[in-house]
């Protein structure tokens, strides 16, 4: 009985901890969007989350760490979108699927993506730690390698440069979609880029 009681107590503590962290992250997203990163304080975040500032600091050392957790959660969701891409697709089909999933993710996570972009580029913006940048690279390395391998199989001489092109194009489409609502012409634009692989098929 004492063991079960102890386990229940630990479970309740863990649930309370997770709820507090979720409230902190949700509040931070709201306040960063409303006031900007530089003008938002830990006290503001704690008040909005309806917890003490001390408890907020118990979970996060700074608002920078909160922001990095928001990004990490965002990347984890994005990773799931890519994990189920069929492994045997040709370069062209793989890139098409990667584009489509990226754009779908951007639609579903529009608010968070815009928030991250604004926070990173506004005056007094947050700077990501070396550890966070390494985490981003680590998360998406398998997908980059999968595409580069397909490019190699099609005779693309410089797959790293091809990846730069793909990355730049995709960022452009997503940003245009966010701010100019080019959703209706996005499929056409994607097919225009994919035509560069037709000569290999």
């Amino acid at each position: 009985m004492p063991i079960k009681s102890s386990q229940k107590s630990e479970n309740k503590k863990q649930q309370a901890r997770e709820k507090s962290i979720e409230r902190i992250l949700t509040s931070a997203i709201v306040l960063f969007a409303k006031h900007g990163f530089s003008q938002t304080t830990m006290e503001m975040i704690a008040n909005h989350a309806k917890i003490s500032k001390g408890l907020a600091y118990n979970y996060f050392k700074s608002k920078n760490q909160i922001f990095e957790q928001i990004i990490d959660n965002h990347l984890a969701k994005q990773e799931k979108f890519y994990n189920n891409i069929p492994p045997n697709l040709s370069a062209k089909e793989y890139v098409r699927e990667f584009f489509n999933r990226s754009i779908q993710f951007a639609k579903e996570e529009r608010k968070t993506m815009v928030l991250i972009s604004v926070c990173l580029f506004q005056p007094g913006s947050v700077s990501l730690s070396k550890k966070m940048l390494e985490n981003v690279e680590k998360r998406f390395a398998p997908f980059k390698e999968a595409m580069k391998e397909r490019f190699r199989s099609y005779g693309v001489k410089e797959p790293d440069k091809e990846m730069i092109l793909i990355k730049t194009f995709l960022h452009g489409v997503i940003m245009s979609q966010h701010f100019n609502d080019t959703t209706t012409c996005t499929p056409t634009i994607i097919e225009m880029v994919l035509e560069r692989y037709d000569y290999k098929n």
Side-chain angles (χ1 to χ4, degrees):
M1 289 294 291
I3 294 177
K4 288 185 178 180
S5 178
S6 176
Q7 287 177 339
K8 286 184 178 180
S9 177
E10 285 300 315
N11 288 339
K12 286 184 178 179
K13 286 181 181 179
Q14 181 61 24
Q15 289 174 0
R17 180 178 184 277
E18 290 173 357
K19 286 181 179 179
S20 293
I21 291 174
E22 185 59 34
R23 285 203 299 271
I24 290 171
L25 295 173
T26 301
S27 294
I29 290 173
V30 171
L31 294 173
F32 289 156
K34 184 176 181 180
H35 303 290
F37 179 82
S38 60
Q39 297 301 314
T40 300
T41 65
M42 286 290 284
E43 185 172 7
M44 290 167 64
I45 294 171
N47 289 339
H48 192 278
K50 293 181 170 57
I51 63 173
S52 69
K53 186 167 69 171
L55 185 59
Y57 274 112
N58 186 49
Y59 295 134
F60 298 98
K61 295 179 181 179
S62 66
K63 63 180 182 179
N64 287 59
Q65 192 176 56
I66 293 175
F67 184 75
E68 292 193 352
Q69 185 63 57
I70 291 170
I71 291 181
D72 192 62
N73 291 350
H74 181 75
L75 292 174
K77 291 179 183 178
Q78 190 173 13
E79 206 172 11
K80 289 181 180 179
F81 265 72
Y82 299 145
N83 273 334
N84 294 323
I85 296 178
N88 298 322
L89 296 179
S90 67
K92 181 177 179 179
E93 293 303 317
Y94 189 93
V95 174
R96 178 187 282 117
E97 188 65 19
F98 189 85
F99 280 167
N100 287 330
R101 291 185 186 224
S102 296
I103 292 166
Q104 181 61 36
F105 176 75
K107 288 179 183 177
E108 295 183 15
E109 294 290 313
R110 182 180 184 278
K111 289 183 179 179
T112 304
M113 291 189 76
V114 171
L115 169 67
I116 291 172
S117 298
V118 170
C119 284
L120 287 174
F121 294 107
Q122 69 182 195
S125 66
V126 59
S127 58
L128 296 181
S129 68
K130 181 180 179 181
K131 181 180 178 181
M132 188 68 213
L133 292 173
E134 289 174 349
N135 182 33
V136 173
E137 289 300 315
K138 183 178 179 180
R139 280 184 182 277
F140 294 101
F143 309 115
K144 290 180 180 178
E145 285 304 315
M147 279 206 272
K148 286 197 285 187
E149 184 58 36
R150 283 158 181 77
F151 294 146
R152 292 188 191 99
S153 70
Y154 275 107
V156 174
K157 294 181 179 180
E158 297 181 281
D160 287 319
K161 287 186 178 180
E162 194 72 16
M163 284 300 302
I164 293 173
L165 171 69
I166 295 300
K167 182 179 179 180
T168 303
F169 168 75
L170 187 56
H171 284 180
V173 169
I174 290 173
M175 287 300 102
S176 294
Q177 181 174 278
H178 283 333
F179 300 111
N180 300 320
D181 191 23
T182 59
T183 306
T184 54
C185 65
T186 296
T188 302
I189 296 172
I190 290 175
E191 293 307 315
M192 288 171 62
V193 172
L194 293 176
E195 284 178 4
R196 67 189 280 105
Y197 304 113
D198 285 345
Y199 76 98
K200 294 292 185 184
N201 293 329

